[in-house]
Amino acid sequence: MNVMAPHSPDAGPAQEGVDDCVIIGAGPAGLTAAIYLARFWLKIRLFDSGNSRAAWIPRTNNHAGYPDGIPGQDLLRLMQEQAQRFGAVREEATVTAIEPDGDGFIVRIGARSVRTRSVLLATGVVNNRPEMDAGLHSRALGAGLLRYCPICDGYEVTDKRVGIVGKGQHGMKEALFLRGYTRDVTLVSPDADMALDDACAAALDDAGIVRIAGPCGGFAIEGDRFVFDTAAGRMSFDSVYPAMGSVIRSELAVAAGARATAEGCLEVDDHQRTSIPGLFAAGDVVKGLDQISHAMGEAGVAATTIRNMLGDQRPIRR
């Protein structure tokens, strides 16, 4: 796959040749799909805005094949190198629209447009988080003081003092999940209202989980602890999990007419096909586990389905 040449802003809209597939997003799902599709000898393009959540992971220890774990940035780098080995090139660019057009699509990147026979969306999600300085957020993540995925790294907080910033049923479920790793769990509301019904409150009480009202603020790293203010005073924890939901990055597909859940997760079938023929989705943008291995599996299914669909339309031969 060739990187597209820069487009002069004075030259008017530019449109390039027809590709077999455009992949949007270069996290684990997008890169897995790029490896598969490049090895199918298809003409592909991979666009990415550089915001994969996998890059946040200090070290993933539950991704099979790495007994000592691997930092998220290293995993992405290795996957990019593997994709490039087979001719796939990631271009850092923001896709602004996907438009169904006849038997394919027009993908718009600012003033540029690309025609493609299929599209795979692997744009993931953005976690909602408490308000804090970006530098502090980055340092806390790197030190394991701030975490977003108890499935991924709950093991690392075994028998530690853990805080969850969240409320309602979502906060309750995350607190109960983490109670499987440590007895010392505190649920702190991001604001004054815990939004807990009687059943949620009873479940927390039964598990021995402390509840503290918000609002939260004054986040800081002090020594080897993450600390912040609450209605009960300043508190410190070995690790804190924001459980404040996320924003699904499905707006490109939804704007094109694809069906999504009320939360914004794209609806797909068993082959990762959205409701728009030729438009596929894989990874966290689809309702699922938000796990690297799961996203990679979905990408493999999507890429193989794309290859077979294109082969049905036109023979793929060497």
Side-chain angles (χ1 to χ4, degrees):
M1 175 177 70
N2 295 322
V3 177
M4 288 174 283
H7 173 63
S8 168
D10 299 323
Q15 184 167 312
E16 304 171 28
V18 179
D19 296 304
D20 291 314
C21 185
V22 165
I23 303 167
I24 305 172
L31 289 169
T32 297
I35 292 166
Y36 271 66
L37 291 167
R39 287 173 53 81
F40 289 146
W41 291 110
L42 296 177
K43 183 182 178 184
I44 64 173
R45 298 178 191 259
L46 177 63
F47 295 109
D48 178 56
S49 60
N51 293 318
S52 174
R53 286 194 304 164
W56 290 6
I57 303 171
R59 182 171 296 273
T60 175
N61 290 294
N62 67 344
H63 187 51
Y66 298 93
D68 296 321
I70 181 170
Q73 291 188 0
D74 289 353
L75 179 63
L76 291 174
R77 175 181 53 78
L78 290 170
M79 294 183 72
Q80 288 173 15
E81 290 176 3
Q82 186 173 352
Q84 289 169 0
R85 176 184 174 189
F86 299 108
V89 178
R90 167 187 171 272
E91 180 179 348
E92 189 161 329
T94 299
V95 172
T96 53
I98 302 169
E99 300 172 3
D101 182 62
D103 58 356
F105 300 87
I106 296 175
V107 176
R108 301 198 182 276
I109 313 97
R112 298 158 57 190
S113 65
V114 174
R115 285 191 55 82
T116 180
R117 299 169 67 194
S118 63
V119 174
L120 173 60
L121 200 71
T123 44
V125 307
V126 176
N127 291 111
N128 295 324
R129 65 194 198 199
E131 290 188 17
M132 68 183 76
D133 176 78
L136 171 64
H137 183 263
S138 180
R139 293 194 302 275
L141 279 172
L145 298 174
L146 193 64
R147 302 174 183 270
Y148 283 91
C149 181
I151 296 174
C152 306
D153 53 28
Y155 185 90
E156 276 64 57
V157 301
T158 297
D159 296 332
K160 300 283 185 67
R161 178 169 171 76
V162 174
I164 296 101
V165 177
K167 64 181 185 178
Q169 189 175 62
H170 186 75
M172 179 269 293
K173 286 185 175 180
E174 189 133 332
L176 291 177
F177 188 92
L178 284 159
R179 182 63 178 82
Y181 296 98
T182 177
R183 294 182 177 87
D184 195 343
V185 179
T186 302
L187 176 63
V188 184
S189 175
D191 48 47
D193 183 13
M194 293 289 291
L196 296 170
D197 60 25
D198 291 343
C200 287
L204 292 168
D205 289 342
D206 183 65
I209 294 170
V210 177
R211 304 197 303 274
I212 302 292
C216 298
F219 297 96
I221 297 173
E222 295 181 3
D224 58 355
R225 291 289 189 93
F226 196 65
V227 302
F228 56 92
D229 297 323
T230 73
R234 196 155 179 83
M235 304 189 73
S236 68
F237 299 94
D238 295 310
S239 282
V240 171
Y241 285 83
M244 302 170 65
S246 56
V247 177
I248 316 299
R249 301 177 70 187
S250 59
E251 62 275 7
L252 289 170
V254 171
R259 288 197 298 268
T261 67
E263 294 80 20
C265 296
L266 291 178
E267 296 180 3
V268 296
D269 65 9
D270 291 343
H271 297 277
Q272 305 304 130
R273 294 177 289 215
T274 71
S275 58
I276 298 177
L279 177 60
F280 296 75
D284 298 346
V285 73
V286 175
K287 189 174 179 63
L289 285 176
D290 285 11
Q291 292 291 293
I292 291 173
S293 57
H294 191 248
M296 292 170 68
E298 288 182 343
V301 170
T304 304
T305 305
I306 289 168
R307 190 267 176 220
N308 290 336
M309 178 193 74
L310 296 178
D312 288 342
Q313 296 172 1
R314 185 186 308 159
I316 298 173
R317 297 172 182 157
R318 290 292 286 168

